[in-house]
Amino acid sequence: MCTTPTHPPLPALTVQADRLIELGVRAPGLEPAALLARATTLQDVAPPGSLLAVHPRVVAPSVLAGHMTRALTVRGQRVERSGFVVADMDDVDDFTPTLDAPVPDADLYAVVDPTRGEEMTNWSPEEALPVITGAGRTPLTLSEGIQWVLHAPEALKRNRCFMTIGSRLRRPDGTFDARTPALWISNGTGRDGSDRRGAPKVGWCWWRNRHTWLGFASAAARNR
């Protein structure tokens, strides 16, 4: 399994913390001073290129999604599109980490070596998961995927987007919903609306379906 990054590297964890502070990401225990101090500590144990992740219990994916941005040129002018969650995924915050994506019991942690997994485009989630775990890696959660794009918008590219199968929706009977969350770029059609064309988008795909433009994001480890 190839894990060579094909995207610009992430900034230092303290720079990512500054970005969260600048965006106004707030929660109990995540005051600016505490956030920056925690990022500084994590920077000593996580390798360069790691992602600073806020636990989804602290800040929900639905909240983080709106902080994603993507710049593009429209009619000769540079514009910035904000991220959003598709209209038919109002239960997005109920997609929680699975056993294959063990998230540390910490408000902030580091995700080591996130990659898009584009070598698995045109695979189904069902096919990709055992390959990811068999390589000693862990699938990214939806929250982690959103935060990756938040800090590195270039992680999303046309025809090179990704699923985050480390998050699933568990039904009352213990089985999983067949939907799997993913991040891609809106074409501005349908319910997305033309004013969202080019925006980073949180949506879903089916567990057994394949898509030629979606890889499977994964990481080498999570540090706390």
Side-chain angles (χ1 to χ4, degrees), residues 13-18 20-21 29-45 52 108-109 224:
L13 296 184
T14 50
V15 175
Q16 295 178 52
D18 285 336
L20 293 176
I21 293 168
L30 273 190
E31 290 77 14
L35 194 160
L36 191 55
R38 179 62 180 147
T40 301
T41 300
L42 282 169
Q43 200 161 266
D44 292 334
V45 298
L52 182 66
L108 282 173
Y109 61 96
R224 58 168 295 174

Side-chain angles (χ1 to χ4, degrees), residues 99-117:
L99 294 177
D100 294 307
V103 170
D105 185 17
D107 291 348
L108 282 173
Y109 61 96
V111 179
V112 180
D113 185 32
T115 60
R116 278 194 300 252

Side-chain angles (χ1 to χ4, degrees), residues 72-79:
L72 65 157
T73 302
V74 178
R75 299 185 185 90
Q77 292 189 333
R78 194 72 166 169
V79 298

